[in-house]
Amino acid sequence: MSRATRNFVYQAIALGVALGVLALVAATTIANLEARGISLGLTFLWDRAGFTLSETWLPYNPDDSNIYALVVGVGNTLVVTALVAALSTILGGFLGVLRISDNPLSAGFARSWVEFSRNSPPILLLLFLYSLLGQVLPVDSAASLGGGAYLSLRGLAIPVLDLGGQGILLFFTLLVGLVVFVVAGHLASERQKRTGVRPPWQAIAGALVALLIVGLTVALSPGLRLDMPAADGPDIVGGFVVSPEFFTLIVGLTVYTSGFIAEIVRTGLQSITRGQWEAAYALGLTRGQALRLVIIPQMFRVIIPPMNSQYVNIVKNSTLVIAIGYADFMVTAGTMINRTSKAVEGTVIIILVYLAINLTISWVMNQINRSFEKA
Amino acid sequence: MTSDTAQASALPHPDFASPAIVMRGVGKNYGNFQALRGVDLEVARGERIVICGPSGSGKSTLIRCINHLEQHDAGQIIVNDMEVGSELKQLQAIRAQVGMVFQSFNLFPHLSILENCILGPTWVRKLPRAEAEAKAMALLERVKIPDQANKRPGQLSGGQQQRVAIARALCMEPSVMLFDEPTSALDPEMVKEVLDVMLELASDGMTMLVVTHEMGFARQAADRVIFMDQGQILESAPPEQFFANPEHERTRTFLSQILH
Amino acid sequence: MSASAISSSARGAGLWRSLFGSRLNFALTVIFALLLAAILPIIVQWSIIDAAFFPAIPQTCETAAGACWSFIIAKHSQILFGIYPYDERWRPLIVCLLLLGLLIHSVRPTAWRPSLAAWWLVALTACWVLLGGGMFGLVEVTSDKWGGLPVTLILTVVAIGFGFPSGVLLALARRSDLPVIRLLATMFIEITRALPLLSILFIASIMLPLLVPEAFLPDKFWRALIALVLFASAYMAEVVRGGLQALPRGQYEAADALGLSYWQSRRLIILPQAVALVIPALTNTVIVMIKNTSLVLVVGLFDLISSGKAALADPEWRSPAVEVYLFITAIYFVLCFGFSRFADSLERRSKGSVR
């Protein structure tokens, strides 16, 4: 038998076996479903959900449809993922730099953090934090965190700007100020290209905007309202409240993920050969210029693939919250499947949703990678 | 501004009245290992020096101390009347006047060739970008690869990369050029193109310190050849004398090993 | 100055410089010293000074303001071994030691002979017999009473034991020239790696009753095990694929030039080298699997963490959850950290002793 024929036969067998198993499984599944009186179909998605979710970021009540409940669940997962990704990237980047500092205290601190993340299961960390909160927080009052924030068994409350009335003027001024700051920086870079000297426009713009914001706040303060949380026993009235479960999840996952991101940043920094530093110094660049122009751009390229996996891991680890009681997508889908008995459709939906989320993250990271190639 | 072939007699003469580099009693330790011991060296303006010696003799360490990539533990190093020390502003000024070419090229892979060359002038000498680019293109012409200006280092051969590295260093308009084994990492057929560039530089009167095993270059371009062994300068002589009549036994042994 | 004087004073000077040498180092030292000074006394106070130790009864904890270690002392056996009959707890202890020894033994490339597979089977059978009993004069203990650390280790070892060979096959399939096989393997690996383990456990739990005829339906334990094996095989496949890719092409070509068949060249030349290349990543995957087995608590199996939770339910004590979770974390830390350190030292020793 020639090689080509043999290859063809192997593949035919593999395909045949795969299809055969699939057919067998499908047949058994249909038989089992019939025996239990469950039908296949997607119309159940528009039926009334009929179950409650402990907390949601989108408005939800049990009268909403199943499909909306799933959307709410995805929203819950995405909020957690985005927040943890942002916080742990900053914290992890900082830790990664600390890890390679020559100060033994800071390097040891970062190292301990990394080893802790590596060697403990995340679900344990969440359970530990949750029970710690329960034991440390007073039962019948709220602990003040300073700056008007409160932490109690009911949740974390922070003061937030009430956007009614003149608050919205302040908010818009802040936005405009940000834009002015960025544009000033851009103009300064253009001028630097032309003359070689960077004018201090960005610093001046920043100072002016800051002054304006402060002045506006003072001038408008009679008319501004802050939604301040006020402690009423263990209850908190007002302010922006997140549940203890959410708080635990964010803090726990951030701490956990930061350890891994720190390692990624460290490996990225160390992978830049010494020669690059030396060439930059030999040209007369300062340490800061060398970091900014030569080292960090190269480091970003190196760390994008492992950062991609870490962000995907955050999505996966967000499902652990089932142990504490937050309603992420997995919990929502699971509850729906249990109520409607639509196991097959539900499974497919779960797989598709997580695939979609992870593919989106990979796509975004790829775009970031490409933008580095162009620059 | 260029001459075709560089013969030692046709090269401009160094100006011994004003030394570019003065090293007095320079020492450097790595833990227990003494890489440099009591090195005294004066490099005149426009002088071209080739430094050779067995590995571990301290020759790379010597030139890396000049632009403070290594910090010397003893003695003094003075470059263009400025002392090499830890004071940052002075160090930057010295590094702007001393160009360095590395054995492993060390081009910045995330920037194009042109961007590699204008990085120093725009950020350290604060030149306007257009002016820096014009100067860079002129230098890329001089090292004979102007058409590669927009490529990335990874797309170039080793010889081309090293020539870019020389152009990058020259873009800062240094008064001294240091070469740390510039051809050791190259395939044999690319060594000549780099040496040709270096010969041209030499014939234009650039003050050069070259650590290398390429004795042909030493014969053609050097005013002095220095032999280092175990952290000390053992011999220092014009090339005719150095190759024909070395004083020390170790020099002779070394020469017999590399000139076969 | 003599040589040794240089090095010791240089070392002292080095430490001083790294703590206080530059402004940044000084600031860092101050910040972390303050941090330590603020936190350490509280921790010491809670965990040692005010803590309750002996006698290991509830009253000791009620009178103590600090940590309730008496609970751990009294109940450590239940946390570690679940509701396994008290008198027989030497058996799960032996099982734990056996499985740990097996894992440690298997990481070394020198142990990779066909006899290793035999050892695995023997060890797992021995664990089965030891835990289950009913023969060799051992009292029978049904599987619903198994729990704690032995379950964690069994799940890990079985998941890796079956996941690794499957992973190798999947890796080879993914690199195959035959497009159908490559596609099937890639789809399986990518989908499994994209999903959270929890969802795989969940899907296995709810789907298997539908996919499989009633008679063949595995129980809770086996369903979780199947999910873990699938998960481990996808991750191991990627690790091994990395090794296969890192191996120089010349090795493949030399094997072909000798006239070896596909399977011969893989078995004798390619795989031994490829796997040896990725031992650090494999050790990492073992550690990840040890941690991942903690998820089975969500599907109702009694691993180490759920045994801890169950022990907390004792109404006589005041539920010292923090102390229990710290204890369990310490166990995981010892397992994972110890394992990785051991694997590191093996790798260093093997690199040093070669040629």
Side-chain angles (χ1 to χ4, degrees):
Chain A
M1 217 193 308
S2 80
R3 191 145 193 194
T5 334
R6 200 188 49 183
N7 286 348
F8 179 77
V9 168
Y10 280 166
Q11 291 187 81
I13 294 179
L15 203 55
V17 166
L19 287 176
V21 167
L22 212 61
L24 198 63
V25 163
T28 324
T29 312
I30 294 177
N32 277 333
L33 285 175
E34 271 180 15
R36 293 164 208 223
I38 308 172
S39 59
L40 285 175
L42 288 175
T43 52
F44 73 97
L45 285 175
W46 282 267
D47 292 341
R48 178 179 177 275
F51 55 90
T52 52
L53 295 173
S54 56
E55 60 182 286
T56 63
W57 292 91
L58 296 169
Y60 170 81
N61 66 72
D63 288 329
D64 290 322
S65 62
N66 275 318
I67 193 168
Y68 183 69
L70 289 179
V71 168
V72 169
V74 171
N76 281 357
T77 296
L78 288 179
V79 167
V80 169
T81 306
L83 204 51
V84 172
L87 290 173
S88 58
T89 305
I90 299 173
L91 191 55
F94 181 63
L95 277 175
V97 173
L98 266 188
R99 178 99 161 73
I100 56 175
S101 73
D102 46 355
N103 186 317
L105 283 181
S106 54
F109 172 75
R111 175 110 200 269
S112 315
W113 191 308
V114 169
E115 288 300 330
F116 174 74
S117 293
R118 267 203 194 142
N119 295 299
S120 49
I123 197 172
L124 195 54
L125 179 59
L126 291 178
L127 287 170
F128 171 75
L129 263 180
Y130 197 58
S131 50
L132 189 66
L133 266 186
Q135 280 194 317
V136 160
L137 289 178
V139 172
D140 49 6
S141 62
S144 167
L145 292 178
Y150 285 92
L151 184 62
S152 84
L153 290 174
R154 294 286 195 276
L156 168 73
I158 47 178
V160 69
L161 187 66
D162 189 356
L163 286 184
Q166 286 151 331
I168 208 155
L169 177 63
L170 191 61
F171 184 67
F172 268 112
T173 317
L174 204 63
L175 276 181
V176 170
L178 208 63
V179 171
V180 166
F181 184 73
V182 169
V183 168
H186 191 72
L187 288 176
S189 292
E190 287 302 304
R191 176 56 84 89
Q192 182 187 9
K193 284 192 187 154
R194 273 191 295 120
T195 66
V197 182
R198 191 187 175 92
W201 294 339
Q202 190 170 31
I204 295 177
L208 282 177
V209 167
L211 272 173
L212 181 63
I213 299 285
V214 169
L216 203 59
T217 314
V218 169
L220 289 179
S221 53
L224 285 178
R225 287 194 302 130
L226 268 186
D227 203 359
M228 292 286 292
D232 174 18
D235 279 326
I236 304 180
V237 177
F240 178 73
V241 184
V242 295
S243 67
E245 288 80 17
F246 185 77
F247 179 72
T248 310
L249 186 59
I250 299 294
V251 171
L253 272 189
T254 303
V255 166
Y256 184 72
T257 314
S258 302
F260 292 95
I261 293 188
E263 272 303 275
I264 294 175
V265 168
R266 173 186 77 98
T267 326
L269 279 175
Q270 287 184 326
S271 73
I272 314 288
T273 63
R274 254 202 94 183
Q276 292 292 305
W277 286 96
E278 290 181 348
Y281 286 148
L283 283 174
L285 295 174
T286 62
R287 188 183 166 100
Q289 286 171 327
L291 260 179
R292 201 158 34 103
L293 299 167
V294 175
I295 304 297
I296 290 189
Q298 291 187 58
M299 182 199 76
F300 267 118
R301 277 145 217 274
V302 172
I303 65 174
I304 286 191
M307 286 296 260
N308 192 356
S309 337
Q310 268 315 307
Y311 290 147
V312 168
N313 275 345
I314 296 177
V315 173
K316 295 193 216 167
N317 283 334
S318 69
T319 57
L320 296 175
V321 69
I322 190 176
I324 312 182
Y326 179 77
D328 77 319
F329 172 69
M330 194 63 220
V331 167
T332 317
T335 317
M336 188 199 74
I337 293 180
N338 279 330
R339 282 185 62 87
T340 61
S341 302
K342 299 285 188 183
V344 176
E345 298 88 330
T347 304
V348 171
I349 293 179
I350 291 178
I351 294 180
L352 286 177
V353 166
Y354 277 113
L355 274 181
I357 298 180
N358 290 332
L359 281 175
T360 312
I361 294 180
S362 296
W363 183 82
V364 168
M365 297 301 275
N366 251 337
Q367 295 305 104
I368 297 181
N369 212 1
R370 285 242 223 100
S371 77
F372 278 116
E373 298 296 319
K374 268 184 272 166
Chain B
M1 233 179 127
T2 59
S3 52
D4 301 312
T5 48
Q7 302 283 323
S9 53
L11 292 172
H13 292 287
D15 175 10
F16 288 98
S18 62
I21 303 177
V22 177
M23 298 174 85
R24 274 185 250 174
V26 173
K28 167 84 191 153
N29 296 323
Y30 292 107
N32 291 343
F33 174 65
Q34 278 195 293
L36 291 177
R37 292 190 246 199
V39 172
D40 295 310
L41 180 65
E42 251 190 54
V43 182
R45 205 161 298 286
E47 192 175 5
R48 295 147 299 243
I49 300 186
V50 165
I51 307 177
C52 64
S55 59
S57 55
K59 36 192 213 297
S60 284
T61 314
L62 183 68
I63 64 170
R64 284 155 66 92
C65 282
I66 295 177
N67 69 350
H68 205 74
L69 284 180
E70 305 281 354
Q71 183 168 347
H72 58 285
D73 298 322
Q76 266 188 318
I77 305 180
I78 300 176
V79 176
N80 289 339
D81 298 323
M82 292 183 282
E83 179 158 0
V84 174
S86 309
E87 206 267 291
L88 277 174
K89 278 260 181 292
Q90 181 143 303
L91 197 52
Q92 251 198 311
I94 292 176
R95 283 175 171 169
Q97 297 173 13
V98 174
M100 182 145 195
V101 176
F102 299 86
Q103 181 177 354
S104 47
F105 333 137
N106 289 338
L107 292 180
F108 305 131
H110 60 299
L111 301 173
S112 73
I113 301 299
L114 190 62
E115 286 167 345
N116 261 276
C117 292
I118 65 174
L119 188 70
T122 48
W123 285 93
V124 181
R125 289 209 186 275
K126 310 246 195 285
L127 285 181
R129 196 181 168 112
E131 196 182 321
E133 283 186 3
K135 287 206 160 99
M137 284 307 296
L139 280 165
L140 286 175
E141 293 238 9
R142 199 169 151 191
V143 299
K144 299 192 182 51
I145 37 172
D147 44 320
Q148 313 282 3
N150 290 318
K151 295 221 180 127
R152 290 288 168 94
Q155 297 172 282
L156 270 56
S157 73
Q160 290 172 318
Q161 287 190 50
Q162 193 63 300
R163 284 187 276 150
V164 170
I166 297 176
R168 177 177 69 174
L170 288 175
C171 277
M172 292 292 287
E173 294 175 0
S175 54
V176 175
M177 281 286 278
L178 305 174
F179 291 83
D180 189 358
E181 306 220 29
T183 55
S184 302
L186 294 174
D187 291 334
E189 64 270 14
M190 296 195 235
V191 170
K192 181 177 188 308
E193 67 194 59
V194 174
L195 286 180
D196 283 342
V197 170
M198 290 166 65
L199 281 173
E200 232 192 77
L201 262 185
S203 69
D204 288 336
M206 171 69 78
T207 315
M208 294 163 67
L209 270 83
V210 184
V211 173
T212 184
H213 293 300
E214 294 290 331
M215 294 300 129
F217 175 81
R219 272 191 238 263
Q220 280 188 291
D223 295 307
R224 255 199 291 171
V225 182
I226 288 179
F227 175 72
M228 283 190 73
D229 192 26
Q230 295 183 0
Q232 288 176 305
I233 295 184
L234 268 194
E235 266 195 67
S236 167
E240 315 81 41
Q241 185 188 333
F242 183 85
F243 291 114
N245 234 347
E247 275 178 31
H248 286 88
E249 183 60 42
R250 273 184 280 181
T251 322
R252 271 191 275 263
T253 320
F254 176 73
L255 283 177
S256 69
Q257 281 168 335
I258 63 167
L259 295 175
H260 45 258
Chain C
M1 268 200 280
S2 69
S4 54
I6 291 178
S7 44
S8 63
S9 73
R11 259 183 282 135
L15 185 62
W16 184 261
R17 217 180 319 133
S18 65
L19 280 174
F20 299 108
S22 72
R23 276 181 299 184
L24 182 65
N25 276 338
F26 188 79
L28 283 174
T29 307
V30 165
I31 292 177
F32 282 103
L34 282 176
L35 212 64
L36 273 176
I39 296 182
L40 212 55
I42 301 179
I43 295 184
V44 170
Q45 182 94 10
W46 177 82
S47 61
I48 303 179
I49 301 178
D50 289 340
F53 291 95
F54 295 101
I57 50 173
Q59 285 75 17
T60 329
C61 275
E62 277 159 40
T63 51
C68 182
W69 299 124
S70 324
F71 184 84
I72 309 287
I73 297 172
K75 293 209 159 235
H76 69 276
S77 177
Q78 185 184 350
I79 299 174
L80 284 174
F81 300 117
I83 50 178
Y84 206 84
Y86 191 75
D87 297 327
E88 307 293 321
R89 280 185 183 170
W90 57 273
R91 286 153 60 182
L93 183 62
I94 296 185
V95 166
C96 291
L97 294 171
L98 196 61
L99 290 174
L100 276 173
L102 187 68
L103 273 176
I104 291 177
H105 175 75
S106 308
V107 177
R108 301 146 49 216
T110 48
W112 295 346
R113 269 168 267 138
S115 53
L116 187 63
W119 281 115
W120 275 74
L121 281 172
V122 166
L124 285 172
T125 327
C127 293
W128 190 258
V129 167
L130 270 172
L131 276 180
M135 48 182 103
F136 301 121
L138 294 169
V139 174
E140 179 170 10
V141 179
T142 47
S143 65
D144 54 311
K145 294 211 175 54
W146 302 359
L149 190 56
V151 170
T152 297
L153 286 176
I154 289 183
L155 288 172
T156 309
V157 165
V158 174
I160 294 180
F162 287 98
F164 182 67
S166 325
V168 167
L169 289 175
L170 277 172
L172 287 174
R174 189 168 179 170
R175 283 173 56 90
S176 156
D177 294 324
L178 310 178
V180 167
I181 298 188
R182 190 167 62 232
L183 183 65
L184 287 174
T186 311
M187 272 178 52
F188 174 77
I189 295 176
E190 289 301 320
I191 294 184
T192 312
R193 283 170 54 93
L195 293 174
L197 176 58
L198 205 62
S199 62
I200 298 179
L201 280 170
F202 182 75
I203 291 172
S205 299
I206 58 165
M207 285 296 277
L208 276 177
L210 293 178
L211 299 176
V212 168
E214 193 79 44
F216 295 113
L217 184 60
D219 72 2
K220 235 177 6 176
F221 185 81
W222 289 99
R223 273 182 259 176
L225 205 50
I226 290 174
L228 286 171
V229 168
L230 288 175
F231 189 79
S233 62
Y235 279 79
M236 297 238 160
E238 281 301 276
V239 171
V240 171
R241 184 170 80 107
L244 289 170
Q245 276 181 298
L247 200 58
R249 262 207 81 157
Q251 293 293 311
Y252 292 90
E253 292 173 349
D256 285 341
L258 281 175
L260 293 173
S261 77
Y262 177 87
W263 289 107
Q264 280 174 327
S265 69
R266 294 310 179 268
R267 188 166 59 89
L268 297 169
I269 299 186
I270 305 297
L271 282 175
Q273 292 188 69
V275 175
L277 275 177
V278 292
I279 289 186
L282 281 177
T283 336
N284 221 32
T285 316
V286 170
I287 294 179
V288 165
M289 286 312 293
I290 295 179
K291 299 200 307 184
N292 274 338
T293 53
S294 59
L295 262 61
V296 298
L297 90 92
V298 175
V299 290
L301 282 183
F302 272 94
D303 78 317
L304 186 56
I305 300 183
S306 38
S307 299
K309 279 183 117 188
L312 280 171
D314 189 333
E316 289 180 27
W317 299 77
R318 63 166 171 80
S319 264
V322 173
E323 289 87 330
V324 169
Y325 291 136
L326 276 175
F327 177 60
I328 299 180
T329 308
I331 298 178
Y332 270 106
F333 203 87
V334 165
L335 274 178
C336 299
F337 193 71
F339 189 75
S340 68
R341 271 274 161 277
F342 186 77
D344 275 350
S345 78
L346 278 180
E347 196 187 346
R348 258 180 284 131
R349 244 188 291 153
S350 77
K351 279 200 183 133
S353 64
V354 162
R355 276 141 235 146

